[in-house]
Amino acid sequence: MNGYFRRKRVIGTAVVVLAFVGYIVAKYAKLAWTPVEQIVPRIQMTERGSIVDRLGKPLAVQTNFYHIGVTPRLITDKAAFAKDIAPALDMSEENILSILENAKNSSFVYLKKKINQASYDQLKQITDVKKYSFVRYDRIPGRVYPENALASQLIGYMGDDGNGLSGVEYSMQSMLSPAAPADSAKIEQGRNVYLTIDANLQYKLEQISNKAMQDTQAECMMLIAAEAKTGEILSYISLPAANLNEYSFASIDETIDRPAMTAYEPGSVFKIFTVAMLYDAGLIKASDSFYCDGEYSYRTPGGETIRIKDLGNYGWLTPRDALRLSSNDALGQMSERIDEDDFIAGIRRLGFGSRTGIELPGETPGSVKDPNSRLWSARSKPTIAIGQEIGVSALQMVQAATAIADNGVPVQLTVIKRITNKDGSVYYEHQVQRKDRLFKESTAQYLLSCMETTATTGTGSRANLGDISIGVKTGTAQMADKKLGGYSTTDFLSDCIAVFPVEDPQIILYIVIEKAKGETYAGRIVAPVIAEAADAIIDHLGMSRGGAASVSHSGRILIPAGRQLKIGNQIPDFIGMSKRDLLPLLERSDLQVKMNGNGWVTSQNPPPGTPVTENMVIELNLE
């Protein structure tokens, strides 16, 4: 033993051990005297631009939110810490202690995410005074939406990472938040996006739409109001809608941008496009007549018989009357005059089957059948002619309507008015984009005239304004039964399109109500909403009402003397009859008669020629 522990070996070993211990002590001493380094989040290199309405009213503005986190093992008195910060975080002390206890073995844990600037300022003051160096704040880009749910699907939403997730926040990401070069320390300034919508008008129309939803107990609703000659959308509504400041709590239905993303069968509104194509091609004339006996029937060369029911037995109808009364029979007969390939080609030229190209994400192209596909049948052409067996979006309907409202030349729709730099200089200004002519000017004028007739004496009479000319077309379509297949017997889509004033179209207004409870006939539930919304638009824009020619006569009303009311198996024509003449109707116990207004009958529902049934409801509008 004494021979092994020689003096040199002991000294050498001691030197090595002391050197090692000295190194460890020095490292620990350095760590002990070095302050805890705050973990600084990545500096945001881009200040996101704002989204405003056409007049500059803020709809989405930049702000900051903060995530607050701590290193649990560095907290010596957790109870005192929890007591100090609980009020600022709007959390209970027990909740904070529970988080800390569950994360006691973790190097880092978040106590709360997305606290606002006011809470951050209060909390930062507390932690600075108390010298809580173990607290970390991660600043993240955020958005405040001053108008909450107003035009929410159009505006869209921005995620925690600073990227837009939907709407204009998504589609205009590169404008709102341009990417800075990797080697640049300069903070890039995002551009401001001016939408085409008028926030004040949007608010008024959303009030009208919400009331319509309540009155009809519908599941959802769409409204688009656009300038006919520029394609700029003044109001864009999709209900139900999400509060953008509470987006994480929104239901899926509230986040869907229906005008852009939803494809549906439009029903009889589509008839204006069918008539426009046939009239423009010279396949039908204004003087043509089609005999309508209550059902469209066609026998194919293969022996198959196609039948489509009509709303009534109308007798001989011109194209104008066919639109006024929305006759399926007449439209079916008209469709026989056009080749199926030419018919579908014309539909595609109108923009159906392809995206409109508006500045919104997720737009549906809809669906248009190919005559050569296995989905095409002998009944496809007449059925598409009346607005079934085709999938369209609300944006496509408005886009196609610009061809009628703008003298046969369609106009590109847009929701972007301008884009400006942070210094206010204009980066982009919307210019009207007219497409290739689709119809002759005479065709557009004829269709507008037919739509005005529909508003004055047809199925759209409840949309008539009286003091300013308006052209409309209503539609009611059975919706597809996604569970059982085929068409639902309870779910309907009711829509109406309007153009006004007819003599110089300024506005296209389109409204869709889905799955209303009770009454579903568009002429009764959508047409009145069209009238109310059109009135709001006219008043808001200051459009002149004095030049309307919707009522023009000599001032003398000639009433045939001794006109006797007789009702047989069919509803007679009540137009022009006085309230006195209608008194015998009130004595009938087998009919329910509703009279609106005073004077003489200007419109009626059901139309003349409709078979009389027990307890039938007859509605008469008098002026």
Side-chain angles (χ1 to χ4, degrees):
M1 292 283 291
N2 291 336
Y4 180 78
F5 289 104
R6 294 179 181 175
R7 182 180 182 85
K8 289 184 178 180
R9 286 185 176 180
V10 171
I11 293 173
T13 301
V15 169
V16 172
V17 171
L18 288 173
F20 179 76
V21 170
Y23 173 80
I24 296 298
V25 170
K27 293 294 287 184
Y28 271 97
K30 182 179 180 181
L31 289 172
W33 288 100
T34 302
V36 177
E37 183 180 354
Q38 292 279 5
I39 301 175
V40 181
R42 180 179 60 87
I43 297 176
Q44 183 189 347
M45 299 303 291
T46 302
E47 183 179 345
R48 193 175 183 86
S50 298
I51 298 175
V52 300
D53 82 338
R54 67 190 295 119
L55 300 177
K57 185 172 185 177
L59 300 175
V61 294
Q62 177 75 9
T63 189
N64 289 317
F65 291 109
Y66 298 85
H67 295 339
I68 173 175
V70 296
T71 305
R73 61 182 176 80
L74 297 180
I75 306 175
T76 56
D77 191 340
K78 293 181 174 61
F81 173 67
K83 182 179 181 180
D84 288 337
I85 69 168
L89 286 179
D90 194 22
M91 295 172 66
S92 67
E93 296 176 32
E94 293 76 13
N95 191 8
I96 295 173
L97 289 172
S98 175
I99 295 173
L100 295 176
E101 182 62 28
N102 292 332
K104 61 183 179 181
N105 296 322
S106 302
S107 59
F108 182 80
V109 65
Y110 280 115
L111 293 179
K112 193 171 185 178
K113 292 186 175 183
K114 290 195 74 172
I115 64 173
N116 59 31
Q117 187 70 41
S119 297
Y120 164 78
D121 291 340
Q122 182 182 0
L123 194 63
K124 189 71 165 61
Q125 184 178 7
I126 294 171
T127 55
D128 285 350
V129 170
K130 296 287 186 176
K131 300 187 184 303
Y132 290 147
S133 58
F134 47 78
V135 178
R136 159 180 153 182
Y137 300 98
D138 290 348
R139 186 175 65 136
I140 62 171
R143 283 299 230 194
V144 170
Y145 300 94
E147 300 300 324
N148 296 316
L150 188 85
S152 62
Q153 291 93 342
L154 171 62
I155 297 167
Y157 182 73
M158 189 192 77
D160 290 347
D161 61 355
N163 292 317
L165 300 179
S166 64
V168 171
E169 290 275 34
Y170 177 87
S171 62
M172 292 287 111
Q173 172 70 22
S174 61
M175 292 290 106
L176 293 165
S177 184
D183 57 349
S184 174
K186 181 182 178 181
I187 297 178
E188 281 289 322
Q189 301 291 315
R191 299 183 177 92
N192 296 324
V193 174
Y194 285 71
L195 302 180
T196 57
I197 68 166
D198 182 321
N200 292 328
L201 178 61
Q202 176 83 11
Y203 175 75
K204 294 176 183 178
L205 296 181
E206 283 193 9
Q207 285 186 311
I208 292 172
S209 299
N210 278 304
K211 183 177 181 299
M213 283 269 289
Q214 293 174 1
D215 292 345
T216 61
Q217 299 180 55
E219 285 193 8
C220 55
M221 179 174 174
M222 295 177 270
L223 183 151
I224 297 176
E227 291 184 344
K229 291 180 170 60
T230 67
E232 293 184 3
I233 291 178
L234 298 177
S235 181
Y236 189 97
I237 297 173
S238 177
L239 297 178
N243 182 338
L244 292 174
N245 292 309
E246 299 175 356
Y247 195 80
S248 59
F249 302 104
S251 67
I252 294 177
D253 281 345
E254 291 174 330
T255 64
I256 298 173
D257 179 5
R258 286 180 172 81
M261 297 179 175
T262 304
Y264 56 89
E265 297 181 33
S268 294
V269 172
F270 196 80
K271 291 172 182 175
I272 60 174
F273 304 121
T274 300
V275 171
M277 285 187 287
L278 293 167
Y279 185 88
D280 196 73
L283 299 175
I284 60 172
K285 300 188 294 293
S287 58
D288 287 346
S289 292
F290 303 87
Y291 187 76
C292 303
D293 58 3
E295 181 183 79
Y296 171 69
S297 178
Y298 174 73
R299 189 172 181 82
T300 68
E304 180 184 359
T305 300
I306 306 303
R307 290 187 173 88
I308 299 176
K309 291 183 179 180
D310 209 346
L311 294 175
N313 188 338
Y314 303 117
W316 292 100
L317 296 179
T318 63
R320 179 186 299 273
D321 290 330
L323 291 177
R324 178 174 67 88
L325 300 172
S326 200
S327 171
N328 293 338
D329 191 353
L331 267 292
Q333 294 180 55
M334 292 182 204
S335 71
E336 295 177 15
R337 299 190 178 186
I338 187 171
D339 176 78
E340 55 190 27
D341 288 323
D342 293 339
F343 182 51
I344 295 301
I347 288 173
R348 291 189 180 278
R349 281 195 297 272
L350 277 163
F352 298 107
S354 59
R355 298 175 178 86
T356 66
I358 201 167
E359 307 91 344
L360 288 170
E363 188 181 3
T364 177
S367 60
V368 177
K369 288 185 177 180
D370 187 333
N372 298 317
S373 74
R374 62 180 182 82
L375 299 176
W376 188 270
S377 69
R379 65 181 298 119
S380 291
K381 187 171 60 168
T383 304
I384 293 172
I386 64 172
Q388 302 268 186
E389 285 195 36
I390 183 172
V392 307
S393 70
L395 285 172
Q396 287 175 337
M397 293 292 285
V398 175
Q399 180 77 77
T402 62
I404 294 174
D406 191 42
N407 290 319
V409 181
V411 181
Q412 174 64 47
L413 296 180
T414 182
V415 294
I416 306 299
K417 179 70 175 175
R418 73 176 63 87
I419 300 173
T420 63
N421 297 311
K422 280 294 182 179
D423 60 6
S425 60
V426 176
Y427 178 83
Y428 164 83
E429 186 82 37
H430 170 248
Q431 301 294 325
V432 179
Q433 298 180 40
R434 285 186 166 81
K435 302 184 179 184
D436 294 337
R437 176 175 290 278
L438 289 181
F439 304 129
K440 304 181 188 73
E441 186 173 340
S442 58
T443 299
Q445 294 300 319
Y446 174 69
L447 263 294
L448 287 172
S449 174
C450 290
M451 291 172 69
E452 184 177 20
T453 301
T454 302
T456 53
T457 62
T459 59
S461 61
R462 293 190 178 187
N464 196 24
L465 300 176
D467 58 353
I468 191 169
S469 59
I470 185 171
V472 303
K473 183 67 191 81
T474 61
T476 306
Q478 285 180 285
M479 298 185 71
D481 190 325
K482 297 180 179 179
K483 292 182 179 179
L484 302 177
Y487 287 102
S488 171
T489 58
T490 57
D491 296 338
F492 292 85
L493 180 143
S494 310
D495 58 344
C496 183
I497 198 162
V499 179
F500 58 91
V502 169
E503 61 274 8
D504 183 22
Q506 300 297 314
I507 301 294
I508 298 171
L509 177 61
Y510 182 52
I511 297 177
V512 181
I513 295 178
E514 289 188 28
K515 297 184 180 180
K517 304 295 187 299
E519 180 62 70
T520 58
Y521 184 56
R524 296 176 183 171
I525 67 171
V526 188
V529 185
I530 284 281
E532 188 176 2
D535 267 329
I537 294 170
I538 291 165
D539 291 342
H540 183 83
L541 298 180
M543 297 171 64
S544 174
R545 293 180 180 269
S550 56
V551 179
S552 178
H553 56 79
S554 64
R556 298 177 59 200
I557 300 176
L558 300 177
I559 305 173
R563 186 172 177 183
Q564 193 172 5
L565 178 63
K566 292 182 180 180
I567 298 182
N569 296 326
Q570 295 182 348
I571 296 295
D573 188 353
F574 296 108
I575 305 300
M577 298 186 74
S578 69
K579 207 165 191 177
R580 182 186 296 272
D581 294 331
L582 299 171
L583 290 178
L585 276 178
L586 302 178
E587 300 173 0
R588 296 282 295 262
S589 60
D590 59 333
L591 297 174
Q592 299 180 45
V593 181
K594 295 181 180 179
M595 296 186 192
N596 304 316
N598 294 293
W600 292 266
V601 178
T602 58
S603 63
Q604 69 179 77
N605 188 67
T610 302
V612 174
T613 58
E614 189 174 357
N615 293 322
M616 169 183 277
V617 177
I618 300 175
E619 187 168 7
L620 304 173
N621 298 310
L622 291 78
E623 294 182 8

